[in-house]
Amino acid sequence: MSLVLDSAAQDLLFREARTANSFTDEPVTEEQVQAIYDLVKFGPTAFNQTPLRITLVRSPEARERLVQHMAKGNDAKTATAPLVAILSADNEFHEELPQLLPHFPQAKDAFFSERPVREQSALLNSALQAAYFIIGIRAAGLAAGPMTGADFAGIQKEFLDADHTPIMVINIGKPAAEGAWFDRSPRLGFDEVITTV
């Protein structure tokens, strides 16, 4: 094996990890979420931008408002997950670039002065950060249930503003002992994906 990561860690993060559909009622603490973010914030993005915004839905009232915007099949599991996070892209991320890219503060205006350019970059890079966040959830010994089946226009209106575009909702918690996941679906093999030129 040519990977540095030991086999148990590979299983935890990838081989044995799956999208969770049901969870125990054990709470997910603020400290766990802080530890997850403090790990995954180091994942690479273009220009070191940090467009991902995470809205933790903790109160019963907020949860009820969110569930109304989830697609059938995603609503019940979102209603019962220990923690739910709305992930969104901040389309005004460029305002932070002078802080995040101190050796090139003019990137803010040189590359991101136009809103359509920012929206495209925010979508791509927040999706990267969302993937890191899912891996971080797994690294914390929790399971993630990422979902894109939702009324995102409704979620934006209910929880965000015009500068924040929702990209997914993630249920988070300890997986239930039974029925937490479906059987693993097939994946493409190396030769189907990798081309050498």
Side-chain angles (χ1 to χ4, degrees):
M1 184 61 79
S2 57
L3 298 176
V4 174
L5 207 60
D6 69 43
S7 185
Q10 293 172 42
D11 287 345
L12 177 70
L13 299 178
F14 296 100
R15 288 192 295 246
E16 298 299 325
R18 299 203 183 102
T19 296
N21 295 297
S22 61
F23 302 88
T24 69
D25 58 3
E26 183 178 330
V28 177
T29 67
E30 207 70 19
E31 292 76 19
Q32 287 173 301
V33 177
Q34 176 84 47
I36 291 165
Y37 180 74
D38 284 343
L39 175 66
V40 304
K41 69 183 179 185
F42 294 109
T45 59
F47 292 95
N48 201 37
Q49 63 185 267
T50 307
L52 182 68
R53 297 295 178 266
I54 302 168
T55 303
L56 300 178
V57 181
R58 287 202 181 271
S59 74
E61 298 79 20
R63 182 74 63 98
E64 189 175 310
R65 287 166 35 220
L66 175 60
V67 167
Q68 294 175 14
H69 298 289
M70 300 305 296
K72 189 167 178 58
N74 289 338
D75 51 358
K77 55 189 171 185
T78 301
T80 59
L83 179 62
V84 182
I86 300 168
L87 275 54
S88 62
D90 182 354
N91 296 305
E92 297 299 310
F93 70 87
H94 68 306
E95 297 293 346
E96 298 157 343
L97 286 181
Q99 170 193 345
L100 297 173
L101 206 62
H103 64 281
F104 187 26
Q106 61 271 33
K108 171 184 176 245
D109 298 315
F111 293 99
F112 300 108
S113 61
E114 297 179 14
R115 175 73 179 228
V117 172
R118 289 198 305 274
E119 288 177 351
Q120 183 178 12
S121 189
L123 182 61
L124 171 63
N125 287 281
S126 64
L128 275 174
Q129 290 186 284
Y132 304 143
F133 187 63
I134 292 167
I135 299 301
I137 291 168
R138 293 173 174 180
L142 301 170
M147 301 166 291
T148 56
D151 170 14
F152 283 132
I155 289 173
Q156 182 178 36
K157 185 175 180 182
E158 190 80 38
F159 294 95
L160 306 170
D161 59 35
D163 289 330
H164 294 81
T165 305
I167 60 170
M168 71 178 64
V169 174
I170 301 182
N171 293 330
I172 305 168
K174 290 275 188 188
E178 292 184 20
W181 19 65
F182 303 123
D183 291 339
R184 183 178 293 289
S185 296
R187 299 295 195 268
L188 295 177
F190 180 91
D191 293 335
E192 297 173 282
V193 174
I194 305 297
T195 302
T196 302
V197 295

